[in-house]
Amino acid sequence: MTSTEEQIYRTDALIEENIDDYLNAHQHKTMLRFITCGSVDDGKSTLIGRLLYNSKMIFEDQLKALEADSKRMGTQGAEIDFALLVDGLAAEREQGITIDVAYRFFTTEKRKFIVADTPGHEQYTRNMVAGASTADLAVILVDARKGVLTQTRRHSYLVHMLGIRHIVLAVNKMDLVNYDQAAFDQIVEEFASFARSIGIAGFTAIPISGIVGDNITEPSSNSPWYDGPSLLPHLETVELEVSTDQVQPYRMPVQWVNSPNLDFRGFAGLIASGTVRPGDEIKVLPSGQSSTVARIVSFEGDRDLAVAGESVTITLADGIDCSRGQVITASTTPIEAADQFETTLIWMDETELVPGRAYWLKIGALVVSASFHQPKFEIDVNSQEELAAKTLSLNSIGVSNVTTDREIPFAPYTENKDLGGFVVIDKITNQTVAAGMIHFALRRAQNIHWQATEIGRDHHASMKNQIPTVLWLTGLSGSGKSTIANILERILASMNRHTILLDGDNVRHGLNKDLGFTEADRVENIRRVGEVAKLMTDAGLIVITAFISPFQAERDMVRAMMKPGEFVEIFVDTPLEVAEERDVKGLYSKARSGELKNFTGIDSPYEAPENPELHLDTSKITAEEAAEHIIKKLYP
Amino acid sequence: MTFKTLTHLQRLEAESIHILREVVAETENPVMLYSVGKDSAVMLHLAKKAFHPASPPFPLLHVDTTWKFRDMYELRDRAAKQAGMELIVHQNPDAIRDRINPFDHGSQHTDIWKTEGLKQALNQHRFDAAFGGARRDEEKSRAKERIISFRSAKHRWDPKNQRPELWRLYNTRKAKGESMRVFPISNWAELDVWQYIHLEAIEIVTLYFSAQRPTVERDGMILMVDDERFPLHPDEKPVNRSIRFRTLGCYPLTAAIESTATTLPEVIQEMLLTTTSERQGRAIDHDQTTSMEK
């Protein structure tokens, strides 16, 4: 153990002798973000602690506290326990803090480092994915005594999936195998064959000891047979993706349209790839309009070049439409826009994926409504096998197609993380429930055009002399939806209104007879009814629907299909006890006896409407009165 | 083809500007908490860059305790004016009424003026996003903080209910009444902040530089006597010392260090050669307005 005597990895001399030279040197530092993968047992915390210590990120007061802590804990005898510098899992558990990604910082003469430190166990897959998403490099730790484990394979698979191109296999605890070269070689060989099998192009293997400090900052005399780089020098010199990012065509999602006055209209964003200069010809997607870059505007004055990774503001020569969420690209090589994709999804929420349900999808600076199909398969992160799956739950990874409600400009994730990576947001809870990566578009949406019909919906409606409307009755079974709907249709008919009644039971005998009562099937049931209702309104009809439609998300989905004001959500509200007592169809007693599964109100939830246009309490009013209320709402 | 390699400061700057723009684009009524310290100075500078040639499209909010150094008030007003931004100064009326001060009320002083004051100001103006200058490297416990931290309608922080942050994608959706604290310089370390101030020639409070100032020594700490409100003990007499501050809070609570550093490079030099951590000087004054946990 050489802790305190060990050379400090920083040039203190220059700081004292010539601070200006020092500052000048440090202004030209680059930055590397990396993730450490491994569990506490692999010595991950010790390694990170040592990196912080060796780059002198530890002050004297902190060091004193560390020495005292080390003695008290006694884990390393009288020596310093570097792991105490970073919070251990146990401490996090005690404090009740979410086990999470911790970001730590250290700096050397050549680089600033941001370390994403995440726990390695399978139940923290989502945390590791979050940490890996911003990393340029991954350090995969292996215990020299244990070799390549299931966990090692899982970590490697995940970092490769997230597109990290630089991988370091750090074979740790070499001191515990007497710096045996054969042990190291065997681990490297085993890892190499696995890495090849999942498509990892290359990696750097380094034998280290976090506790002793071997091959961390300089070659260790304990392993004379190793002639490769030590860990820190390797991290300092590994080539960044600058050239590959900049050699690609210019792409920039527009984040913010900066127009303080009529004379200035700038488009602000972070350049996702390529370079841009005044005079460059560009295209805006998905609109496809073209123009030329006029200026690159900055606080310090106009610039003649901006590159990938920079946040800039540009102006265009022509006054074309361009708004937040659109992507400005080089005109010679524009990107595609599409509305159906195959994707990899990493589910991050306690509530599982509901195929067919509408979620928010955020990609670049764009938020769209999107629904996922039933997964094609789930991937076993330990064996990398493809398993059949109906849904995805917390920490599971699968491949699923997604449909968005409009075209989005994109690039495959493997080409560009900013244009191919997305997050999925629950529309009700607003939680980020998944991360995803686009593989490819399922069809080129730009080749499919809407057939423009000559007689439009306005024409249909005017012939009928009415405003197309969807009267959406929602409520528990037995609340009186169908009864009210029938009365309502009769009244409207007497008023010469053209209506159509879509009833839950009837639709399930025909259009939706292939659907059951699982959550996913209920979502699909409502989606189809929504589409039918939309066609009916196009024909100018007043559509009355009577469906339990238990989930807010699907009612909102149908609302979003209609023009504003066309969708009238009517909550037919009856206490469960009252509905159950009525039990017209005898379904509640079947559900109570367990004969009927997934029955709303009994073993399947009903989400009451949050802001219905009309709220009718049918335990207090008759069906006729309820219908009158609706008529009054329609024709006040 | 020649490539341009971005330096660490350029990458940090690009990230911070991206965060500022994203939150402004997606929230209704953002505000920037401005404490006049060096981190605030950097954050304000980044905001100016992000929205140039427009002024940053949000106001500055200073949650005032009335006990800041006079130099801080002077710079605060000037900086807001130069940026073309509205400056909102909030002083907790309860604290004014009860004459809360650092000498008689200890840690309550910070809590009532700052923590309560901040909540009042956010509620009063219905701000749904507040930028703060906290950094992850300030304390070990901050290493896990999100860049965007969600608060309930009662400004409660629920550590178990924070959202994962991936790539450059921030989920800013929230229910009515909920708000968020946003930390655009989360990934900056102390040295980065100083280097950036040096490189960009950002004006900071002169108190960061050494000068002869009237001081008294108490409990091993050097305190500056900034105005006549400082209650001197009978045997105390202010002595002029060459001092500066590493961090700035309320003047009677922030300890100075003896120093000869009068230029920015000298200050950085001293910072790099020092052997104690940054926050030590504020042992009795944790700046809670920028704290990620509060």
Side-chain angles (χ1 to χ4, degrees):
Chain A
M1 180 69 199
T2 51
S3 65
T4 37
E5 302 84 23
E6 191 170 340
Q7 77 152 45
I8 296 300
Y9 205 74
R10 201 167 74 168
T11 45
D12 279 338
L14 188 58
I15 296 171
E16 272 185 83
E17 286 158 18
N18 192 333
I19 185 67
D20 292 318
D21 280 1
Y22 173 88
L23 287 174
N24 193 38
H26 275 249
Q27 271 160 21
H28 297 98
K29 273 192 297 195
T30 53
M31 186 162 99
L32 182 85
R33 300 185 69 139
F34 69 95
I35 180 171
T36 50
C37 314
S39 68
V40 180
D41 307 333
D42 297 328
K44 184 164 60 81
S45 300
T46 305
L47 177 66
I48 296 171
R50 179 168 279 280
L51 288 172
L52 299 185
Y53 177 79
N54 281 8
S55 58
K56 213 192 164 194
M57 295 311 286
I58 317 297
F59 289 109
E60 206 167 81
D61 50 334
Q62 292 169 327
L63 191 64
K64 274 193 193 128
L66 178 64
E67 279 167 357
D69 279 356
S70 301
K71 273 193 196 123
R72 190 166 52 82
M73 305 293 278
T75 44
Q76 300 299 329
E79 308 294 352
I80 289 178
D81 182 356
F82 290 104
L84 294 175
L85 279 173
V86 292
D87 292 336
L89 276 181
E92 290 177 5
R93 285 209 191 93
E94 278 164 24
Q95 293 163 28
I97 298 172
T98 325
I99 314 282
D100 218 321
V101 192
Y103 293 94
R104 304 183 200 286
F105 308 84
F106 67 95
T107 192
T108 68
E109 275 175 88
K110 296 193 179 103
R111 273 191 180 154
K112 172 191 167 87
F113 295 95
I114 302 180
V115 192
D117 178 15
T118 65
H121 296 103
E122 192 173 345
Q123 64 265 39
Y124 307 124
T125 295
R126 63 173 162 171
N127 310 94
M128 203 185 129
V129 167
S133 72
T134 51
D136 307 305
L137 177 147
V139 176
I140 295 172
L141 272 166
V142 174
D143 184 329
R145 297 168 301 175
K146 296 178 187 158
V148 177
L149 302 176
T150 299
Q151 164 174 285
T152 318
R153 286 188 280 268
R154 181 173 70 242
H155 295 161
S156 312
Y157 178 76
L158 291 174
V159 302
H160 180 60
M161 181 180 79
L162 268 293
I164 297 177
R165 285 170 223 171
H166 299 290
I167 292 176
V168 172
L169 180 74
V171 182
N172 194 19
K173 304 194 182 182
M174 286 302 292
D175 53 316
L176 299 182
V177 295
N178 297 316
Y179 304 96
D180 178 15
Q181 182 181 6
F184 175 73
D185 288 346
Q186 199 196 328
I187 290 169
V188 174
E189 199 175 309
E190 195 184 341
F191 184 79
S193 89
F194 169 72
R196 264 196 307 276
S197 75
I198 61 167
I200 292 174
F203 64 94
T204 304
I206 307 176
I208 63 165
S209 168
I211 288 205
V212 182
D214 296 305
N215 295 321
I216 304 291
T217 56
E218 56 182 35
S220 167
S221 56
N222 290 323
S223 55
W225 44 266
Y226 174 72
D227 56 6
S230 297
L231 180 60
L232 201 49
H234 178 67
L235 296 176
E236 280 186 313
T237 52
V238 68
E239 199 185 329
L240 294 164
E241 307 297 336
V242 178
S243 51
T244 34
D245 288 348
Q246 290 180 23
V247 89
Q248 290 188 1
Y250 171 61
R251 281 106 173 65
M252 184 181 93
V254 176
Q255 248 194 310
W256 175 254
V257 179
N258 191 351
S259 82
N261 54 58
L262 291 173
D263 301 327
F264 186 87
R265 195 169 158 78
F267 303 98
L270 194 147
I271 301 175
S273 73
T275 60
V276 63
R277 293 171 190 278
D280 284 358
E281 289 176 11
I282 58 92
K283 228 182 190 97
V284 176
L285 289 170
S287 75
Q289 287 185 290
S290 300
S291 185
T292 308
V293 175
R295 298 167 57 199
I296 303 170
V297 180
S298 92
F299 192 70
E300 291 85 10
D302 281 12
R303 297 171 52 180
D304 56 10
L305 170 73
V307 303
E310 291 188 288
S311 284
V312 297
T313 302
I314 66 165
T315 64
L316 301 176
D318 309 280
I320 60 171
D321 282 343
C322 182
S323 54
R324 174 172 159 85
Q326 297 195 306
V327 178
I328 303 180
T329 76
S331 68
T332 45
T333 45
I335 54 174
E336 276 184 81
D339 59 7
Q340 276 196 15
F341 309 91
E342 186 189 272
T343 68
T344 291
L345 273 184
I346 301 117
W347 205 256
M348 300 187 149
D349 201 64
E350 313 277 346
T351 312
E352 60 188 26
L353 163 74
V354 180
R357 171 164 291 176
Y359 294 91
W360 296 120
L361 182 151
K362 183 168 185 184
I363 180 167
L366 197 59
V367 179
V368 298
S369 188
S371 60
F372 293 88
H373 303 204
Q374 184 173 310
K376 294 179 175 179
F377 53 84
E378 184 184 334
I379 299 157
D380 181 322
V381 283
N382 291 320
S383 64
Q384 291 78 50
E385 280 173 339
E386 295 174 5
L387 311 170
K390 283 197 150 52
T391 179
L392 295 173
S393 53
L394 180 62
N395 287 318
S396 58
I397 297 172
V399 170
S400 170
N401 289 346
V402 63
T403 304
T404 54
D405 69 343
R406 55 188 149 132
E407 283 183 23
I408 51 180
F410 78 100
Y413 180 80
T414 48
E415 261 175 44
N416 193 301
K417 292 180 184 180
D418 285 330
L419 296 169
F422 60 86
V423 291
V424 183
I425 300 164
D426 187 290
K427 287 193 172 185
I428 306 291
T429 65
N430 289 327
Q431 285 299 318
T432 301
V433 293
M437 294 167 287
I438 292 180
H439 299 175
F440 48 78
L442 291 172
R443 52 171 185 174
R444 285 173 188 241
Q446 57 258 56
N447 294 337
I448 299 191
H449 298 284
W450 284 99
Q451 189 61 45
T453 47
E454 283 175 29
I455 307 293
R457 67 194 323 266
D458 293 346
H459 187 91
H460 290 301
S462 70
M463 278 173 73
K464 296 183 176 63
N465 193 27
Q466 64 186 25
I467 299 162
T469 309
V470 177
L471 301 170
W472 189 276
L473 276 59
T474 171
L476 292 171
S477 176
S479 59
K481 295 183 299 298
S482 296
T483 313
I484 296 168
N486 275 301
I487 298 168
L488 189 58
E489 190 168 37
R490 217 167 50 223
I491 301 172
L492 286 167
S494 72
M495 296 165 73
N496 280 326
R497 304 295 172 187
H498 294 229
T499 59
I500 177 79
L501 171 58
L502 300 173
D503 185 86
D505 287 347
N506 298 350
V507 168
R508 280 188 177 276
H509 284 123
L511 177 67
N512 291 351
K513 70 177 172 191
D514 56 326
L515 299 177
F517 290 89
T518 62
E519 197 166 351
D521 280 0
R522 284 171 182 271
V523 171
E524 177 60 13
N525 184 41
I526 299 304
R527 188 192 69 81
R528 291 185 196 173
V529 171
E531 291 288 355
V532 170
K534 182 166 170 34
L535 288 173
M536 301 279 189
T537 56
D538 283 347
L541 294 171
I542 294 169
V543 185
I544 304 165
T545 70
F547 292 83
I548 298 172
S549 47
F551 306 119
Q552 186 68 47
E554 279 64 60
R555 296 190 299 263
D556 287 347
M557 171 175 74
V558 179
R559 181 187 290 273
M561 290 178 191
M562 310 298 165
K563 281 192 170 174
E566 263 181 19
F567 183 82
V568 181
E569 189 174 0
I570 300 161
F571 181 21
V572 183
D573 189 7
T574 294
L576 181 63
E577 311 82 66
V578 178
E580 192 166 354
E581 207 182 289
R582 289 179 191 155
D583 205 7
V584 191
K585 300 169 195 162
L587 297 174
Y588 281 99
S589 62
K590 278 189 187 170
R592 285 290 182 201
S593 68
E595 205 181 318
L596 198 58
K597 292 277 178 226
N598 296 323
F599 193 73
T600 302
I602 307 298
D603 58 348
S604 184
Y606 179 79
E607 296 169 6
E610 284 162 7
N611 294 302
E613 273 76 7
L614 208 55
H615 185 163
L616 304 169
D617 185 345
T618 55
S619 65
K620 299 211 173 78
I621 55 172
T622 65
E624 285 77 12
E625 286 166 338
E628 283 299 335
H629 277 294
I630 298 169
I631 296 289
K632 268 191 207 136
K633 176 84 188 167
L634 264 188
Y635 306 106
Chain B
M1 188 160 181
T2 51
F3 301 111
K4 178 179 164 186
T5 305
L6 299 184
T7 66
H8 72 298
L9 290 175
Q10 285 168 327
R11 272 182 81 177
L12 290 171
E13 180 189 75
E15 179 187 67
S16 301
I17 289 176
H18 177 263
I19 294 163
L20 286 160
R21 287 170 174 170
E22 197 62 17
V23 170
V24 167
E26 292 203 334
T27 60
E28 285 164 22
N29 195 12
V31 68
M32 179 172 281
L33 305 180
Y34 183 69
S35 72
V36 210
K38 65 182 195 307
D39 299 311
S40 278
V42 165
M43 188 167 61
L44 175 59
H45 185 76
L46 290 164
K48 290 200 270 190
K49 284 192 149 189
F51 299 99
H52 176 83
S55 298
F58 45 79
L60 292 172
L61 170 64
H62 182 224
V63 180
D64 189 20
T65 65
T66 71
W67 290 94
K68 297 289 169 189
F69 294 91
R70 285 174 297 175
D71 281 0
M72 294 172 76
Y73 291 117
E74 192 272 323
L75 177 63
R76 177 195 70 186
D77 297 346
R78 197 152 40 82
K81 210 169 169 187
Q82 274 170 3
M85 296 165 77
E86 184 197 352
L87 172 68
I88 299 170
V89 176
H90 181 85
Q91 298 174 345
N92 181 351
D94 303 335
I96 295 174
R97 186 196 58 217
D98 298 339
R99 294 169 185 274
I100 302 295
N101 68 75
F103 300 102
D104 301 325
H105 300 95
S107 65
Q108 260 194 316
H109 165 77
T110 314
D111 191 51
I112 296 172
W113 279 110
K114 285 190 177 171
T115 312
E116 284 310 309
L118 175 62
K119 287 180 196 167
Q120 286 171 350
L122 295 179
N123 285 341
Q124 192 181 322
H125 297 275
R126 295 177 189 277
F127 292 122
D128 61 347
F131 294 110
R135 308 189 319 264
R136 283 170 172 155
D137 84 321
E138 284 177 74
E139 279 173 19
K140 198 160 72 171
S141 64
R142 286 187 176 172
K144 290 186 199 71
E145 294 292 353
R146 299 297 201 282
I147 285 170
I148 295 186
S149 169
F150 280 83
R151 306 300 152 111
S152 69
K154 296 209 160 71
H155 298 283
R156 286 263 288 280
W157 180 69
D158 177 3
K160 292 198 177 78
N161 208 11
Q162 299 294 322
R163 300 167 182 176
E165 289 175 346
L166 294 109
W167 299 294
R168 293 187 181 113
L169 295 171
Y170 302 98
N171 169 7
T172 62
R173 304 193 78 89
K174 56 196 176 324
K176 255 201 159 47
E178 288 178 346
S179 63
M180 55 206 200
R181 308 284 158 86
V182 183
F183 305 105
I185 60 167
S186 288
N187 285 329
W188 296 56
E190 191 186 6
L191 179 59
D192 303 326
V193 167
W194 281 118
Q195 274 194 308
Y196 191 71
I197 289 170
H198 178 52
L199 195 66
E200 301 274 308
I202 299 170
E203 184 179 6
I204 51 172
V205 185
T206 50
L207 295 160
Y208 285 113
F209 304 106
S210 242
Q212 291 287 323
R213 297 185 169 103
T215 61
V216 295
E217 200 175 331
R218 278 187 194 171
D219 307 325
M221 288 191 298
I222 301 170
L223 300 177
M224 176 171 159
V225 183
D226 195 47
D227 60 32
E228 66 293 341
R229 289 183 297 172
F230 195 106
L232 294 169
H233 296 168
D235 54 336
E236 264 178 351
K237 217 177 157 209
V239 179
N240 270 349
R241 287 185 174 90
S242 174
I243 57 151
R244 65 177 194 89
F245 293 86
R246 290 176 67 189
T247 64
L248 292 169
C250 292
Y251 79 78
L253 297 180
T254 313
I257 53 165
E258 287 198 86
S259 161
T260 55
T262 54
T263 67
L264 201 50
E266 283 168 6
V267 168
I268 299 174
Q269 185 175 38
E270 230 176 56
M271 194 271 293
L272 287 168
L273 294 175
T274 188
T275 51
T276 53
S277 54
E278 175 187 12
R279 297 187 75 83
Q280 229 191 14
R282 270 209 306 224
I284 50 169
D285 176 33
H286 294 280
D287 192 351
Q288 294 185 326
T289 52
T290 57
S291 164
M292 294 191 181
E293 297 86 18
K294 288 284 172 178

